[in-house]
Amino acid sequence: MTEEAIESLFPNRQSRAQIDAWLADVIRSARTAVSDGSVSPTIDMDQFHRQLASFDFASPVDFDDVTQWVIDSMVVGAVQMTHPRYFGLFNPAPSVASEAADAIAAAFNPQICVRSHAPVAVDIERHVIEQVASRLGYGAIADGHFTSGGSEANRTAMVCALTRAHESYAARGAMAFAGQPRVYVSRESHLAWYKIAHENGIGRDAVVLVETDGHGRMDPTLLGQSIETDRRSGFVPIMIVATAGTTNAGVVDPLSVCRDIADSHGLWMHVDAAWGGALIASQRYRDVLSGIECADSVTIDAHKWFATTMGAGMFLTRDTRILREAFSVSTDYMPSNDQSVDLYVTSSQWSRRFTGLRLFLSLAVAGWTGYEQHVENGIALIARLNATLAAKGWRVANDSAMAVTCLLPPDGAANVESIVSRIVDGGEHWVSMTRFEHQPVIRACITNGRTTSEDVDALASALHSAALGVG
């Protein structure tokens, strides 16, 4: 490798300072362009692919040129989830503190799977997990860690459930069970559970979808009947998953009842609160999650309503013994094997980014009070949207205390699909179409802390115009 090539990867201090300053200016300009531009992609993908093909990596190109090209492409080549009129999924505009945390983590690049290598980083993460667990209602005995997202956290829960269900599971896997294990989730749950069951070797047929009660909640009577029927048929029930904030409609399953059913059958009870778990910040709405503190384990994503950058999930559990048993391993090349502090022996990850700094800095600068205001503001804005459209003949299909609504247009209006297409194609707003209790609905969600009442009023006007075929 030539000296010039090395310099392109690892510039000297002066060059690095110039790069940092230039990049900050370019990103600042890009943020403005995103806020002032279309929420939907407007890029010419044919032209983009021709440009992309030119990067064959045979010869180096100028850093400024390629970086500017990537940023310019992103401005017009993605659904802009940081845009205040993005009313889509649970992806937020990240807090400034979490963006700073990403920069700090990148600068130091600590490997935090083992505490001896990064004691400060590991202990910061452990502190955040302890604080979130306490706010959740767990007692002093709790454990957990940051994950790459909700899917990894949920997969961890299933591994723990399987490990506790049979003493030989760790060694023999699914072969330890006399029949196929069964995991019970609501039909309205996040169906990553199919992939998780596949990954854990128990098969996708292990996932039992329990019907809802007509209001988006898992029906506890049908849940109990499913468990009993499966037992008589030779299956092995191991786990109940209750959802606290369904993806489609922000509905919470009956958590306390699910706990009672789990206890009566000796099952692990997990709560997937990836988005809705942020309600722990609100004194006013905390009771919506009543019963979550009794779960064996909980998933909460920091990169959803807690507004950190992407890739920051959390797994929390009351059963510290099972968590450590599920992921214990010992190898000569690791400097230590302390299950109380070394993350590689209590989680599936080995190489670990300093993920928890994003939520630590955000909580530190805003406090629980700041997050309380953030969460409640989103709820209030959705209520405003619902009230505005209800006055024009629209109906709300879901009953949720969270910042998400499932809307039905007035009788005689355009259908849901055409309304959503018109809104998205217009580029000024972004909403989605989904199904709630078997009927198509328009879904709007507010996770973005920069969304204002003016943005909500503009969406209401655009939706009604699209429903009437006006404009």
Side-chain angles (χ1 to χ4, degrees):
M1 182 180 286
T2 65
E3 183 175 335
E4 182 179 357
I6 294 174
E7 174 72 12
S8 68
L9 294 174
F10 308 102
N12 59 41
R13 290 184 180 181
Q14 182 179 357
S15 296
R16 179 56 191 266
Q18 292 172 345
I19 289 171
D20 289 345
W22 174 82
L23 187 59
D25 286 339
V26 172
I27 291 176
R28 188 181 302 113
S29 297
R31 286 197 186 100
T32 300
V34 166
S35 295
D36 295 342
S38 171
V39 187
S40 300
T42 58
I43 194 169
D44 181 338
M45 290 302 294
D46 289 336
Q47 180 183 10
F48 169 78
H49 285 133
R50 288 192 296 271
Q51 294 170 345
L52 181 62
S54 71
F55 296 99
D56 59 4
F57 311 127
S59 301
V61 298
D62 182 77
F63 173 87
D64 291 8
D65 291 343
V66 66
T67 303
Q68 185 73 64
W69 176 79
V70 169
I71 291 173
D72 289 345
S73 298
M74 288 298 295
V75 167
V76 294
V79 175
Q80 300 300 343
M81 295 177 296
T82 65
H83 197 291
R85 294 189 179 181
Y86 172 76
F87 298 93
L89 304 178
F90 298 138
N91 311 296
S95 68
V96 172
S98 71
E99 292 186 43
D102 266 354
I104 294 168
F108 288 92
N109 201 31
Q111 159 61 302
I112 72 168
C113 75
V114 59
R115 185 176 182 275
S116 63
H117 275 45
V120 167
V122 169
D123 285 0
I124 285 175
E125 284 207 356
R126 290 175 60 208
H127 177 71
V128 176
I129 290 294
E130 289 170 1
Q131 293 296 309
V132 173
S134 176
R135 189 81 179 190
L136 186 69
Y138 276 176
I141 300 176
D143 205 347
H145 53 263
F146 280 88
T147 68
S148 58
S151 290
E152 183 193 333
N154 287 339
R155 183 172 70 247
T156 301
M158 188 181 288
V159 172
C160 288
L162 289 162
T163 300
R164 193 176 74 174
H166 199 292
E167 61 184 7
S168 298
Y169 172 75
R172 302 182 63 220
M175 293 178 62
F177 298 98
Q180 184 177 37
R182 290 289 216 194
V183 176
Y184 303 88
V185 304
S186 163
R187 177 173 54 78
E188 286 287 320
S189 68
H190 193 300
L191 295 186
W193 291 106
Y194 283 123
K195 295 198 292 183
I196 291 169
H198 189 160
E199 291 166 346
N200 282 334
I202 61 175
R204 295 185 179 219
D205 286 349
V207 179
V208 178
L209 298 185
V210 179
E211 282 296 322
T212 55
D213 61 359
H215 302 283
R217 295 181 292 268
M218 181 157 58
D219 188 314
T221 300
L222 296 178
L223 170 63
Q225 291 173 354
S226 294
I227 295 170
E228 292 169 1
T229 299
D230 280 350
R231 275 233 163 92
R232 289 193 298 268
S233 301
F235 296 106
V236 183
I238 62 156
M239 180 183 188
I240 294 171
V241 179
T243 304
T246 56
T247 303
N248 279 344
V251 173
V252 179
D253 288 335
L255 305 183
S256 296
V257 178
C258 287
R259 175 75 270 174
D260 291 341
I261 295 172
D263 287 342
S264 67
H265 292 279
L267 309 185
W268 185 278
M269 190 255 190
H270 176 69
V271 175
D272 182 357
W275 180 59
L279 284 185
I280 63 174
S282 170
Q283 295 297 332
R284 180 178 180 183
Y285 293 102
R286 174 64 177 79
D287 287 348
V288 173
L289 301 179
S290 179
I292 195 172
E293 69 281 356
C294 298
D296 292 299
S297 57
V298 176
T299 288
I300 300 176
D301 279 347
H303 65 238
K304 289 190 170 72
W305 218 351
F306 278 108
T308 74
T309 51
M310 294 299 293
M314 290 178 279
F315 173 78
L316 305 111
T317 182
R318 298 188 302 162
D319 198 329
T320 60
R321 179 187 66 83
I322 287 296
L323 179 63
R324 294 169 186 180
E325 181 181 337
F327 295 98
S328 63
V329 66
S330 179
T331 179
D332 291 340
Y333 54 77
M334 297 304 291
S336 65
N337 189 249
D338 187 341
Q339 288 189 324
S340 66
V341 294
D342 289 342
L343 295 173
Y344 81 96
V345 287
T346 57
S347 70
S348 63
Q349 293 188 46
W350 289 69
S351 298
R352 273 287 313 275
R353 183 175 174 83
F354 187 9
T355 302
L357 182 60
R358 306 170 194 175
L359 187 55
F360 172 80
L361 286 184
S362 297
L363 275 170
V365 301
W368 287 112
T369 301
Y371 271 107
E372 180 176 47
Q373 294 170 358
H374 166 61
V375 166
E376 292 184 3
N377 181 62
I379 294 170
L381 288 175
I382 283 292
R384 181 186 182 100
L385 177 65
N386 287 341
T388 301
L389 288 173
K392 299 179 179 181
W394 289 65
R395 290 173 292 144
V396 177
N398 62 322
D399 178 15
S400 174
M402 299 183 190
V404 60
T405 185
C406 295
L407 296 163
L408 294 166
D411 293 339
N415 63 41
V416 165
E417 183 177 5
S418 64
I419 294 171
V420 171
S421 294
R422 191 164 181 172
I423 293 294
V424 172
D425 291 346
E428 293 185 15
H429 310 85
W430 203 96
V431 295
S432 59
M433 182 180 76
T434 188
R435 298 184 72 84
F436 178 68
E437 291 296 335
H438 306 290
Q439 65 179 336
V441 294
I442 298 168
R443 181 186 179 281
C445 174
I446 297 176
T447 310
N448 191 332
R450 298 189 182 97
T451 300
T452 66
S453 57
E454 289 78 10
D455 296 317
V456 167
D457 292 346
L459 174 63
S461 178
L463 283 170
H464 196 60
S465 294
L468 298 180
V470 177

